[in-house]
Amino acid sequence: MKKHLIWLAWAFFLVLIPAIPIASFNLNYQAPSAQLLAYDLGIVAFVLWVEIAWIKQKPQWVEKTIGVDTLYKVITFLGVIALLGAGLHQLIAESASTLIKTTGIIAWILALVIAIYGLIALATKIPSRKLKINRYLRNIINSFAILVIVLIWIHVNVIPAIASIQPFMITFNIYAISAFNCYIYGWIKKRQHRK
């Protein structure tokens, strides 16, 4: 019974949470199927990065049900899926604006660096958590993660046709604010822990 509840919680987390902004977008934006798919892939990637920001705070129920090691595997897995979704989004979506393209490409490159770091850390267990260099690396990676969210927020807000869709933008901004709050909370928690 407990196992079923865990799977239900993960299904909710991985399916329903991305479905909300996708539905609020698709119901309010008229476009060919290929273009909608491109935008949906971008939305999924963004939501997965928001979910990663939340998981990184190690909520107790998540840590207890799957353990810390699995937690890091889930973060890396979601990061890779988000990266693939964002990559496909870039390939399919059409954009005339330099700012839109630039913010999307930089966010994707930063996400790629984060994913590579995560895969190397999982595969080699190096660098060790005890090493000072790892603390610096993790701080850089965390900064990149925040930058990814900021760049995607800009990326979406500078597209007039999308920025004008109120139901989607409300949902999108709530998700973005949630991610920022997670990073701020994590930063405050680390500062308090060091004192």
Side-chain angles (χ1 to χ4, degrees), residues 45-173:
F46 172 75
V47 173
L48 290 178
W49 283 316
V50 171
E51 289 178 347
I52 289 167
W54 180 74
I55 295 172
K56 283 180 89 175
Q57 303 316 312
K58 298 176 191 166
Q60 280 189 341
W61 73 269
V62 173
E63 206 171 325
K64 280 180 184 175
T65 54
I66 64 171
V68 177
D69 287 341
T70 308
L71 190 77
Y72 286 113
K73 287 175 186 171
V74 167
I75 288 169
T76 303
F77 174 74
L78 292 180
V80 170
I81 298 298
L83 188 67
L84 292 172
L88 288 170
H89 166 76
Q90 282 188 45
L91 287 173
I92 304 169
E94 294 172 6
S95 170
S97 164
T98 307
L99 181 59
I100 296 166
K101 282 181 185 175
T102 306
T103 51
I105 289 167
I106 295 170
W108 190 84
I109 291 168
L110 291 175
L112 177 63
V113 172
I114 295 166
I116 290 169
Y117 172 83
L119 290 169
I120 291 170
L122 278 179
T124 62
K125 303 282 184 187
I126 295 169
S128 164
R129 289 180 193 170
K130 293 176 183 176
L131 294 175
K132 275 188 179 180
I133 193 165
N134 188 47
R135 192 187 308 154
Y136 297 127
L137 282 172
R138 278 187 288 150
N139 287 339
I140 290 167
I141 293 299
N142 284 336
S143 299
F144 283 0
I146 295 166
L147 266 175
V148 167
I149 301 290
V150 170
L151 286 164
I152 295 168
W153 186 83
I154 294 167
H155 177 79
V156 170
N157 275 276
V158 295
I159 304 171
I162 293 175
S164 64
I165 305 169
Q166 255 193 328
F168 171 71
M169 289 309 296
I170 289 167
T171 310
F172 177 79
N173 286 324

